[in-house]
Amino acid sequence: MLGRGELNRGKPSLNQLSFARRALLGAAALFGAFALAACAEAPEPGGPVDSRALAAVRLDPQAAVAAVNAYRAKSGLGPLRLDPALVAMAQRQADAMVAADALSHTVAGSFSARLAAAGIGAGEAGENLGGGYYSLDAAMAGWRGSPEHDANLKIRGATRMGIALAKDARTRFGVYWALELADDPPRPAAAVWAD
């Protein structure tokens, strides 16, 4: 991933490259775009969704907090608490993914726009999505196995989280998960009064 403001200096422009090289670069750029878009985790869909298995999928938010905290503790990171605003944001995202039958960070708007709309202030925040996982353990295993999602689970300053799922047997994955993590909102600067 290119860093913010990084320039491509000392390399020939696209106008200087042969047609074959431009085609190769275009294919590589297209592959890169797909790779970046694939940041939501999901097992490969295995045919029709099993309605009985889907009906058994449950989420215990306190168990989810305990699982995330146990994982973070192994890395020497502080615990998270369940935050009602982040839970509501996660539920809206999970519901939007089911409605659109799409595993996407932008199906309900950009992450930053959704944070702002929910009135959630944070200096650092992250979101993990998943589809097709029929248990919290399976979703956590998927996220731990992905470097980008694992980094979100390990946001050093995170203090709070929200998690939700939404289900519909008519969708590609049947169950969609959303996990939101954030640090505490920045405190306003203290006013100093001088007489």
Side-chain angles (χ1 to χ4, degrees):
M1 181 185 308
L2 291 176
R4 188 174 288 163
E6 189 172 315
L7 298 175
N8 185 11
R9 293 189 181 162
K11 296 184 180 175
S13 71
L14 286 179
N15 293 336
Q16 297 169 319
L17 298 175
S18 69
F19 174 78
R21 286 188 67 192
R22 285 193 308 241
L24 183 58
L25 285 174
L30 185 60
F31 175 77
F34 282 119
L36 288 175
C39 62
E41 278 292 307
E44 286 298 317
V49 173
D50 181 343
S51 296
R52 284 188 294 155
L54 184 62
V57 177
R58 298 278 186 264
L59 172 61
D60 176 349
Q62 294 303 327
V65 171
V68 171
N69 284 342
Y71 183 64
R72 288 173 57 84
K74 291 177 185 175
S75 295
L77 299 171
L80 307 179
R81 68 183 183 283
L82 202 59
D83 180 279
L86 288 172
V87 170
M89 181 179 162
Q91 191 64 63
R92 285 189 297 275
Q93 180 66 15
D95 291 342
M97 289 189 298
V98 162
D101 194 9
L103 187 59
S104 167
H105 288 281
T106 59
V107 72
S110 73
F111 182 60
S112 58
R114 290 184 285 117
L115 282 169
I120 298 169
E124 189 173 14
E127 175 176 73
N128 286 357
L129 304 178
Y133 295 115
Y134 279 56
S135 70
L136 173 64
D137 290 342
M140 286 290 295
W143 293 330
R144 287 189 311 263
S146 159
E148 295 86 3
H149 295 93
D150 192 54
N152 281 345
L153 291 170
K154 294 177 179 175
I155 294 173
R156 182 163 298 285
T159 56
R160 53 197 173 131
M161 66 174 267
I163 189 167
L165 65 80
K167 306 182 289 184
D168 187 329
R170 298 168 296 180
T171 61
R172 181 176 179 203
F173 294 109
V175 60
Y176 292 81
W177 296 79
L179 171 65
E180 318 294 345
L181 305 103
D183 60 6
D184 282 324
R187 295 180 186 254
V192 177
W193 299 96
D195 289 327

